[in-house]
Amino acid sequence: MTGFFGLAIVFAMVIGGYLWGGGKLGIIFSSLHYEMMIIGGSAVGAFIISNGGDTIRGSMRDVGRVFTGPKWKAGDYSDVLILLFELLRIARNNPVQIEEHIEQPEESVHFQRFPRILADATAVTLICDTLRAASMNYDDPHQVEEVIDKRLEAHLHHALKPSHALQNMADGLPALGIVAAVLGVIKTMSSIDQPPAVLGKMIGGALVGTFLGVFLAYALVGPFATKANELAESDHNFYMLIREVLVASLHGHAPNMCVEIGRQCMSSELRPSFDDLDTALRSESVAA
């Protein structure tokens, strides 16, 4: 919702200020189509040249997420803490029983209770692989912790690629706007024998290219890239929460203490209260 609100402010302020200052939209609309073709088309072409298919698809997805927000909501953070508590408790009380949950998580009753988490391959494999490694009795828990860190670092690097690609596009748009403006000037110079009124409109049309390049870069694509970067880091915090709980378990802490460590590592706007989480965990213990 904030994305739509921000766009509305951008267009209202730019167009409203232009009209309030006595500007006419006719000259902009008369050249908008071909200027947008030059600038937008060349920007998209350069974007395709410089990025692979995964990054292109990720960029399109992230543009949509600017309006829908982060993937993981506050409820998902509470759900993953409850799921981890139950799995860690099973792993401590009955190490053999945990195998059926981590080898086939899609058939686990505990994973099935949280379909949003189960549908995320990164979260599921992180949980299952770490619990599997722990069941192998690693002598040094720091070794498993290092593997988790490298895995999450690689995941974050991949998740940030679309935002970096969008930022590169934003950086190039002002220059492409100059290209469109220069082409407009070339067109104007070929009609230098026309009266000033005609030449003025042609020069104004050429300058629309400069305006579009700067406007698209700093009012649209650049902010989209920044938001995409923020969303990728926000989603990464979900996996970091899983990491904190699992690492605490590797060091021998009780399941409820591991979950509390994870809760305290969360940001304040997402963190459930101690009492709410404790009540949820107690109900899990009673149900089991």
Side-chain angles (χ1 to χ4, degrees):
M1 184 60 69
T2 57
F4 288 108
F5 184 62
L7 276 181
I9 292 177
V10 167
F11 281 99
M13 294 299 103
V14 172
I15 296 176
Y18 174 69
L19 293 175
W20 194 8
K24 305 294 183 183
L25 291 177
I27 184 62
I28 295 179
F29 288 144
S30 64
S31 54
L32 184 63
H33 51 291
Y34 58 79
E35 296 285 357
M36 182 61 78
M37 178 179 177
I38 295 172
I39 300 170
S42 59
V44 170
F47 182 80
I48 293 173
I49 292 171
S50 57
N51 296 288
D54 287 344
T55 302
I56 293 172
R57 288 188 291 271
S59 299
M60 296 174 63
R61 180 187 65 247
D62 283 354
V63 167
R65 292 181 62 213
V66 169
F67 303 102
T68 59
K71 175 179 180 179
W72 303 109
K73 313 300 182 184
D76 297 316
Y77 285 82
S78 297
D79 289 345
V80 78
L81 289 176
I82 295 172
L83 171 62
L84 289 170
F85 170 77
E86 189 59 35
L87 294 174
L88 292 177
R89 190 175 61 171
I90 294 173
R92 171 162 292 205
N93 296 334
N94 191 343
V96 176
Q97 186 182 358
I98 193 62
E99 292 183 6
E100 65 184 75
H101 299 286
I102 61 178
E103 296 302 333
Q104 294 181 310
E106 65 281 355
E107 297 181 6
S108 166
V109 293
H110 299 295
F111 277 100
Q112 289 175 356
R113 289 183 53 204
F114 308 105
R116 280 177 52 80
I117 299 174
L118 181 60
D120 188 84
T122 301
V124 173
T125 55
L126 177 61
I127 294 171
C128 294
D129 288 352
T130 305
L131 290 177
R132 186 181 298 110
S135 68
M136 295 178 182
N137 295 321
Y138 271 65
D139 294 332
D140 185 5
H142 295 287
Q143 192 174 21
V144 182
E145 183 178 349
E146 184 178 355
V147 172
I148 297 174
D149 289 340
K150 289 182 178 179
R151 170 185 237 160
L152 291 180
E153 182 181 352
H155 179 270
L156 179 61
H157 175 76
H158 181 75
L160 290 175
K161 280 186 176 181
S163 64
H164 293 163
L166 288 171
Q167 186 58 56
N168 288 336
M169 175 188 276
D171 293 341
L173 278 168
L176 294 175
I178 293 174
V179 170
V182 169
L183 291 175
V185 171
I186 292 173
K187 173 186 172 184
T188 302
M189 295 304 293
S190 66
S191 304
I192 198 66
D193 57 339
Q194 297 297 315
V198 175
L199 289 176
K201 290 182 179 180
M202 296 179 71
I203 293 174
L207 292 177
V208 169
T210 303
F211 158 71
L212 278 178
V214 175
F215 177 77
L216 291 174
Y218 296 109
L220 292 180
V221 181
F224 272 64
T226 301
K227 185 64 175 180
N229 187 89
E230 178 188 317
L231 291 172
E233 292 181 346
S234 174
D235 290 348
H236 184 67
N237 290 334
F238 185 81
Y239 306 118
M240 288 299 295
L241 170 61
I242 296 175
R243 174 205 179 277
E244 296 300 331
V245 175
L246 293 177
V247 167
S249 174
L250 290 172
H251 288 277
H253 296 296
N256 59 338
M257 179 59 68
C258 296
V259 169
E260 175 58 19
I261 291 172
R263 188 191 74 86
Q264 292 190 25
C265 291
M266 296 170 59
S267 60
S268 57
E269 65 271 16
L270 296 171
R271 183 189 306 131
S273 69
F274 175 84
D275 290 338
D276 289 343
L277 184 59
D278 184 60
T279 301
L281 296 182
R282 288 179 184 275
S283 16
E284 285 294 313
S285 300
V286 171

